[in-house]
């Protein structure tokens, strides 16, 4: 870790000949990504066309996702190991580290009879209703 010391009018021992500021930049884009518009339904496969692609923006009522076949040169794999340009959307094989205590037993239910049955279980913890047709039931 590098050492940095701010020298500006807001710090003690300010030296006018050497002005400097310490700036923290959090480059974790998770918060930004979670605030962006996300598709939620009405998906359908259509013939892929690129016309009109430039007219789409972040708030367009429609969007596009493309399934593509790409060749990713082997000599770039090690260079891009920490942040690959094209990640694989797959489930890892074998055992992965897991914290069993953090497991949540949740069931998404759209049937009133099933909701009532789960609520009556002794392992029922709480329920969240998303709309009149969808509820999440959390069990211990």
């Amino acid at each position: 870790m590098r050492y940095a010391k701010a020298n500006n009018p807001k710090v003690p021992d300010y030296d006018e000949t050497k002005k400097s500021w310490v700036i923290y930049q959090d480059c974790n884009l998770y918060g930004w990504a979670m605030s962006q518009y996300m598709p939620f339904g009405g998906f359908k496969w259509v013939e892929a066309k690129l016309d009109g692609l430039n007219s789409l923006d972040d708030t367009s009522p429609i969007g596009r996702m493309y399934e593509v076949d790409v060749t990713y040169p082997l000599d770039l794999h090690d260079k891009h190991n920490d942040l690959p340009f094209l990640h694989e959307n797959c489930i890892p094989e074998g055992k992965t580290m897991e914290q069993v205590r953090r497991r949540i037993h949740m069931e998404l239910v759209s049937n009133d009879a099933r909701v009532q049955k789960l609520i009556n279980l002794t392992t029922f913890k709480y329920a969240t209703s998303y709309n009149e047709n969808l509820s999440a039931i959390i069990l211990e």
Side-chain angles (χ1 to χ4, degrees):
M1 182 176 285
R2 294 184 180 178
Y3 173 79
K5 182 178 179 184
N7 183 42
N8 57 64
K10 297 185 178 195
V11 297
D13 302 327
Y14 169 56
D15 180 0
E16 284 188 29
T17 62
K18 303 177 193 172
K19 283 189 179 179
S20 68
W21 298 79
V22 176
I23 298 173
Y24 172 72
Q25 291 183 324
D26 184 359
C27 295
N28 181 351
L29 300 177
Y30 180 75
W32 173 85
M34 294 305 292
S35 68
Q36 299 306 300
Y37 289 91
M38 294 291 293
F40 59 88
F43 300 109
K44 61 183 178 180
W45 286 104
V46 296
E47 186 64 34
K49 295 179 183 175
L50 297 178
D51 59 321
L53 188 61
N54 292 333
S55 64
L56 295 175
D57 66 12
D58 291 343
T59 59
S60 293
I62 61 164
R64 297 180 183 181
M65 289 189 286
Y66 291 95
E67 182 179 27
V68 297
D69 295 322
V70 178
T71 302
Y72 196 70
L74 286 173
D75 61 309
L76 296 178
H77 286 205
D78 287 337
K79 291 178 184 175
H80 302 159
N81 194 32
D82 292 332
L83 186 62
F85 292 126
L86 301 167
H87 72 281
E88 287 185 66
N89 189 11
C90 63
I91 299 170
E93 293 181 23
K95 289 239 178 217
T96 59
M97 293 187 64
E98 176 183 8
Q99 291 191 2
V100 177
R101 287 177 280 163
R102 289 190 179 177
R103 281 188 188 172
I104 296 173
H105 182 190
M106 179 180 74
E107 192 167 330
L108 292 174
V109 185
S110 60
N111 179 308
D112 288 340
R114 181 71 179 155
V115 169
Q116 191 60 49
K117 183 176 181 178
L118 292 171
I119 289 174
N120 291 335
L121 292 174
T122 57
T123 57
F124 171 76
K125 197 168 184 182
Y126 63 90
T128 303
S129 179
Y130 293 106
N131 61 40
E132 61 186 44
N133 297 323
L134 183 64
S135 297
I137 308 298
I138 309 298
L139 305 170
E140 293 182 316

